[in-house]
C-alpha cells in the first residue's frame, strides 16, 4: 500500500528531490514523520485544507447564502451564525419558528433586535452647524460627527480611538457596540473597518472575526502544529484523522496526534491520568513510604526514623522499612511480599504505561532516521544512483514510524480492554505487529552500502509490506469491533 504514490513521486522528481531539499530540514529536525499512503482516497475527500483567505471567502459565502433569505445586515447574520455554530439550517429553522422579537429574546440578543427594528440609518450630518461631542466635549462641524442607529453621536476622532482600543485592548471578542454607556447597539463590520486608519489594526479585527468563525464552526479546526496558519474543513463531523498541508497529521475530533486504534475519550482519560498520576507519583516517591504491613502511604514529619503506622499500629524503621529497631539498618533484608489489590492494579498499569512510553521514545529515535537516510541518499546521488532505486528507504522509514505510532496507542487501547476472546485476538495481532516493526527497525538502523543496495532494497520492501499488512489487520480488527460493538472495557 502506498506504492502508487511513491512511484508517482519517483517519476516527478529531479536532482533536487523534495526529500533531499534543504527546506525539509526544519520538518525533519522537529521529528515530523508523515505516514503518507495510509489514508484512502475516500477518507482524503472528506476534508480540505484552507488558507486564511479561503476561510474568509468561505465565511462570506455562507453569510451571503443566509442573507439572501433573511435580508439582514451581514454583521447580524455573522453573529447569529456564530451562535448556531454556523449551522445555517438550524438558524433558519429557529428564525422562522416564531416571531422575530421572540427569536432574538430566546437567544439573549435583544440588542440585535433593537438594531434590526430601528428605522434610523447610520448618518453623518452634512450641514455646517456645530455639534458637541459627548466624549471629548469639543464643538465640531457636523461633518466630523457620526451617529449610529441608536442616535448617539460622537466625533470621528473619538469613534476611531474607541474602536481601535476595543480591538487592541479588548481581548478576543470581535463584537463592538456603541460607545455610549449602557447602549448595546452593535456596530457593523463595514463601519468599524471604515473608521480604522491603521492597516495592522484592521488586519487584527479580521483575524478576530476569522478566529471566531473557526472556533464556532464544528466542521473547521486550526491545524495544531506550531506556527501553522492553515485550517482543516471536514464534510462530516465524524471525520477523525486529517493531514494538513504543513505535513502534520492529527485527530480532528480531539486535536491530538493521530491515535488509531484508541478512541478519543479513552486517550483523553489516559493522558489526564498520566499527567496527574505522574505528579502524584513524584511527590509520593520523594515524601512518603508505604507501611510494610497495610501499604498505607506515610509521610515522615519528624527526625526520628522509628515510625508507628496510625492505620494498623505497625512499627517499622523509616530507613530499612523493617521492624527490628535500628540495630541492623546497614544490612539488606528481603521482606515477604504482601498481597494487595492496589499493588496489583499498579503493576497492571505500569505494564501498559512502560510499553507505551517505550514505543514513544522509539518513535522519537526513529524519526531521526529521516536525517540518517537523507544523508545516505545524498551520498548515493553523488554516485549517480537513480532516485527510483533509493526512494524505498524514505518509504520504509515512513512505514516504520506509522507502525510504531500505532503500537504506542495499542497499549492505551489494551489497558482499558476487558479480557475476552476478542482481546486475545487483538493481543496476538499486537504481538505480530510488534515483531515485524522491531525487525524493520533493526534493519533500517544498519548502514547501507552501495554494493549491497539491491539486496537491501529487496529485504526492506519485503519487511515494509509485511509491516503494512500486520498493521492493516490489527486496525481492521479493532474497527470491526467498534462497528459490531464487541469490545468490553474496564472502567
Amino acid at each position: 500500500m502506498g506504492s502508487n504514490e511513491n512511484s508517482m513521486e519517483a517519476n516527478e522528481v529531479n536532482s533536487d528531490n523534495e526529500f533531499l531539499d534543504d527546506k525539509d530540514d526544519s520538518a525533519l529536525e522537529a521529528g515530523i514523520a508523515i505516514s503518507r499512503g495510509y489514508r484512502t482516497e475516500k477518507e482524503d475527500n472528506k476534508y480540505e485544507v484552507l488558507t486564511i483567505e479561503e476561510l474568509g471567502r468561505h465565511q462570506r459565502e455562507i453569510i451571503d447564502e443566509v442573507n439572501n433569505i433573511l435580508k439582514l445586515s451581514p454583521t447580524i447574520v455573522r453573529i447569529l451564525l456564530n451562535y448556531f455554530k454556523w449551522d445555517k439550517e438550524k438558524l433558519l429553522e429557529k428564525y422562522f419558528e416564531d416571531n422575530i422579537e421572540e427569536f432574538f429574546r430566546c437567544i439573549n440578543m435583544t440588542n440585535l433586535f433593537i438594531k434590526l427594528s430601528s428605522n434610523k440609518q447610520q448618518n453623518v450630518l452634512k450641514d455646517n452647524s456645530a455639534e458637541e461631542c459627548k466624549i471629548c466635549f469639543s464643538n465640531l462641524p457636523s461633518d466630523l460627527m457620526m451617529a449610529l442607529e441608536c442616535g448617539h453621536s460622537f466625533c470621528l476622532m473619538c469613534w476611531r480611538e474607541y474602536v481601535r482600543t476595543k480591538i487592541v485592548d479588548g481581548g478576543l471578542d470581535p463584537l463592538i457596540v456603541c460607545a455610549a454607556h449602557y447602549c448595546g447597539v452593535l456596530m457593523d463590520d463595514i463601519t468599524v473597518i471604515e473608521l480604522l486608519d491603521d492597516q495592522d489594526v484592521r488586519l487584527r479585527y479580521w483575524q478576530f472575526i476569522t478566529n471566531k468563525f473557526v472556533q464556532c464552526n464544528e466542521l473547521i479546526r486550526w491545524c495544531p502544529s506550531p506556527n501553522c496558519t492553515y485550517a482543516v474543513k471536514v464534510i462530516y463531523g465524524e471525520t477523525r484523522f486529517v493531514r494538513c498541508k504543513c505535513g502534520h497529521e492529527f485527530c480532528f475530533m480531539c486535536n491530538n496526534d493521530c491515535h488509531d486504534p484508541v478512541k478519543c475519550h479513552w486517550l483523553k482519560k489516559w493522558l489526564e491520568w498520566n499527567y496527574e498520576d505522574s505528579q502524584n507519583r513524584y511527590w509520593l516517591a520523594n515524601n512518603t513510604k508505604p507501611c510494610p504491613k497495610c501499604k498505607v502511604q506515610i509521610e515522615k514529619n519528624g527526625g526520628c526514623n522509628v515510625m508507628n503506622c496510625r492505620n494498623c499500629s505497625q512499627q517499622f524503621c523509616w530507613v530499612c522499612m523493617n521492624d527490628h529497631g535500628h540495630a541492623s539498618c546497614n544490612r539488606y533484608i528481603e521482606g515477604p511480599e504482601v498481597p494487595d489489590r492496589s499493588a496489583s492494579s499498579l503493576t497492571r498499569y505500569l505494564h501498559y504505561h512502560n510499553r507505551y512510553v517505550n514505543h514513544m521514545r522509539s518513535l522519537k529515535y526513529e524519526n531521526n532516521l529521516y536525517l540518517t537516510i537523507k544523508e545516505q541518499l545524498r551520498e548515493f546521488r553523488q554516485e549517480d544512483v537513480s532516485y527510483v532505486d533509493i526512494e524505498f528507504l524514505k518509504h520504509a522509514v515512513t512505514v516504520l514510524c506509522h507502525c510504531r505510532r500505532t503500537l504506542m496507542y495499542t497499549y492505551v487501547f489494551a489497558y482499558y480492554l476487558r479480557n475476552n476472546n476478542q482481546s486475545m485476538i487483538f493481543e496476538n495481532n499486537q504481538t505480530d505487529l510488534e515483531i515485524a516493526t522491531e525487525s524493520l527497525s533493526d534493519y533500517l538502523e544498519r548502514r547501507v552500502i552501495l554494493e549491497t543496495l539491491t539486496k537491501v532494497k529487496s529485504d526492506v520492501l519485503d519487511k515494509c509490506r509485511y509491516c503494512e499488512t500486520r498493521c492493516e489487520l490489527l486496525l481492521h480488527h479493532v474497527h470491526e469491533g467498534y462497528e459490531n460493538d464487541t469490545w468490553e472495557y474496564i472502567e
Side-chain angles (χ1 to χ4, degrees):
M1 186 170 64
S3 57
N4 291 337
E5 180 179 340
N6 290 323
S7 297
M8 290 172 61
E9 290 178 353
N11 291 333
E12 295 172 358
V13 295
N14 52 33
S15 59
D16 294 323
N17 181 269
E18 62 164 348
F19 190 62
L20 302 180
D21 200 316
D22 290 337
K23 292 186 292 185
D24 287 340
D25 287 346
S26 59
L28 293 168
E29 291 171 1
I32 297 175
I34 306 171
S35 303
R36 299 188 186 276
Y38 288 95
R39 303 288 174 258
T40 65
E41 182 178 353
K42 182 179 178 181
E43 288 174 325
D44 285 338
N45 288 336
K46 289 182 178 179
Y47 67 91
E48 58 179 323
V49 182
L50 304 175
T51 63
I52 293 178
E53 293 76 14
E54 290 169 334
L55 274 174
R57 286 196 295 270
H58 179 55
Q59 182 182 21
R60 288 191 294 273
E61 288 170 1
I62 299 175
I63 291 174
D64 291 342
E65 184 180 347
V66 174
N67 210 16
N68 286 335
I69 301 173
L70 299 186
K71 306 299 182 183
L72 304 175
S73 79
T75 306
I76 290 181
V77 173
R78 174 173 63 80
I79 296 169
L80 292 177
L81 283 167
N82 281 337
Y83 181 85
F84 287 97
K85 307 295 184 184
W86 289 83
D87 186 338
K88 55 181 182 289
E89 287 79 13
K90 187 175 181 180
L91 165 59
L92 295 173
E93 178 187 345
K94 293 293 182 182
Y95 187 85
F96 293 109
E97 194 174 73
D98 213 330
N99 66 73
I100 298 176
E101 184 177 2
E102 180 65 18
F103 168 79
F104 282 102
R105 189 190 65 78
C106 288
I107 64 175
N108 248 353
M109 294 185 183
T110 52
N111 62 314
L112 294 186
F113 178 74
I114 294 172
K115 176 180 175 64
L116 183 65
S117 59
S118 174
N119 291 323
K120 297 181 180 180
Q121 299 295 321
Q122 174 186 316
N123 62 88
V124 178
L125 302 177
K126 299 299 182 182
D127 54 42
N128 294 322
S129 60
E131 186 177 349
E132 183 184 58
C133 174
K134 302 300 182 184
I135 296 178
C136 65
F137 302 107
S138 301
N139 286 314
L140 298 170
S142 55
D143 61 344
L144 296 179
M145 303 290 290
M146 188 187 82
L148 298 183
E149 293 88 335
C150 55
H152 294 122
S153 179
F154 309 104
C155 72
L156 292 175
M157 290 294 293
C158 288
W159 275 117
R160 288 193 181 99
E161 183 59 25
Y162 168 74
V163 170
R164 191 198 67 81
T165 302
K166 291 290 288 184
I167 295 173
V168 175
D169 302 327
L172 298 178
D173 191 351
L175 300 182
I176 301 178
V177 297
C178 176
H181 197 42
Y182 296 122
C183 181
V185 171
L186 187 73
M187 295 184 69
D188 286 326
D189 292 335
I190 296 176
T191 304
V192 172
I193 292 300
E194 287 177 348
L195 285 170
L196 294 172
D197 51 11
D198 188 326
Q199 189 62 32
D200 291 337
V201 180
R202 281 189 181 187
L203 179 60
R204 184 166 184 175
Y205 182 68
W206 285 121
Q207 287 174 341
F208 286 166
I209 293 175
T210 304
N211 279 329
K212 193 70 174 178
F213 171 56
V214 174
Q215 290 168 8
C216 294
N217 197 317
E218 295 179 343
L219 300 180
I220 301 178
R221 287 188 187 275
W222 291 113
C223 173
S225 180
N227 302 320
C228 180
T229 58
Y230 289 111
V232 178
K233 173 183 173 291
V234 300
I235 299 175
Y236 305 107
E238 68 271 13
T239 301
R240 294 187 65 192
F241 304 125
V242 297
R243 183 170 63 240
C244 180
K245 287 181 180 177
C246 72
H248 182 65
E249 289 186 339
F250 64 99
C251 174
F252 186 85
M253 303 294 291
C254 66
N255 258 25
N256 287 304
D257 291 342
C258 292
H259 51 78
D260 216 8
V262 64
K263 285 191 173 182
C264 297
H265 70 280
W266 291 118
L267 178 63
K268 180 182 178 182
K269 187 174 182 180
W270 172 269
L271 294 175
E272 288 176 350
W273 188 20
N274 269 269
Y275 175 77
E276 294 171 359
D277 196 51
S278 65
Q279 307 302 310
N280 293 334
R281 285 201 308 269
Y282 178 81
W283 188 89
L284 290 172
N286 286 276
N287 297 278
T288 69
K289 290 185 179 182
C291 169
K293 182 178 180 181
C294 68
K295 302 300 180 183
V296 168
Q297 292 295 134
I298 298 174
E299 180 183 6
K300 186 173 182 286
N301 59 3
C304 180
N305 287 311
V306 179
M307 313 299 294
N308 286 285
C309 178
R310 293 182 180 180
N311 186 57
C312 65
S313 301
Q314 172 72 21
Q315 186 180 76
F316 63 95
C317 173
W318 180 261
V319 177
C320 64
M321 303 300 292
N322 286 318
D323 180 20
H324 51 59
H326 203 65
S328 57
C329 280
N330 61 313
R331 299 180 181 275
Y332 174 76
I333 302 175
E334 182 133 10
E337 293 186 3
V338 179
D340 183 71
R341 184 176 180 181
S342 61
S344 175
S345 176
L346 177 61
T347 301
R348 182 178 184 276
Y349 165 75
L350 290 176
H351 171 87
Y352 292 102
H353 179 265
N354 290 340
R355 284 156 179 76
Y356 167 82
V357 172
N358 181 64
H359 282 298
M360 181 189 295
R361 290 171 179 166
S362 294
L363 179 60
K364 291 180 180 178
Y365 292 138
E366 286 162 353
N367 277 322
N368 293 331
L369 278 175
Y370 275 107
L371 297 175
T372 304
I373 296 297
K374 181 178 178 180
E375 185 59 34
Q376 291 188 38
L377 294 183
R378 289 188 186 279
E379 294 176 4
F380 289 146
R381 292 294 292 153
Q382 292 175 0
E383 299 292 333
D384 292 329
V385 178
S386 170
Y387 180 79
V388 177
D389 295 328
I390 56 179
E391 57 87 25
F392 73 92
L393 290 171
K394 170 192 170 183
H395 175 65
V397 180
T398 298
V399 171
L400 174 62
C401 292
H402 173 78
C403 293
R404 184 69 73 183
R405 186 191 301 114
T406 301
L407 275 172
M408 182 177 80
Y409 288 113
T410 60
Y411 283 100
V412 181
F413 175 74
Y415 175 70
Y416 294 104
L417 207 59
R418 191 179 298 279
N419 289 332
N420 56 26
N421 290 336
Q422 291 298 319
S423 69
M424 292 177 64
I425 296 173
F426 167 78
E427 288 176 349
N428 289 337
N429 288 333
Q430 187 186 43
T431 300
D432 291 341
L433 177 59
E434 196 144 17
I435 293 172
T437 302
E438 297 301 342
S439 176
L440 178 60
S441 177
D442 176 66
Y443 207 93
L444 289 177
E445 288 180 356
R446 303 173 189 175
R447 183 75 179 175
V448 181
I449 58 177
L450 187 59
E451 289 74 15
T452 61
L453 184 60
T454 302
K455 183 180 186 308
V456 169
K457 180 178 181 179
S458 175
D459 292 344
V460 168
L461 289 177
D462 286 343
K463 292 180 183 296
C464 281
R465 282 191 288 268
Y466 185 67
C467 280
E468 289 176 312
T469 301
R470 297 314 313 174
C471 191
E472 287 175 7
L473 287 172
L474 182 147
L475 294 176
H476 175 75
H477 177 241
V478 174
H479 293 163
E480 188 178 51
Y482 286 145
E483 293 172 2
N484 300 326
D485 199 21
T486 55
W487 299 118
E488 298 178 4
Y489 302 101
I490 302 173
E491 293 292 343

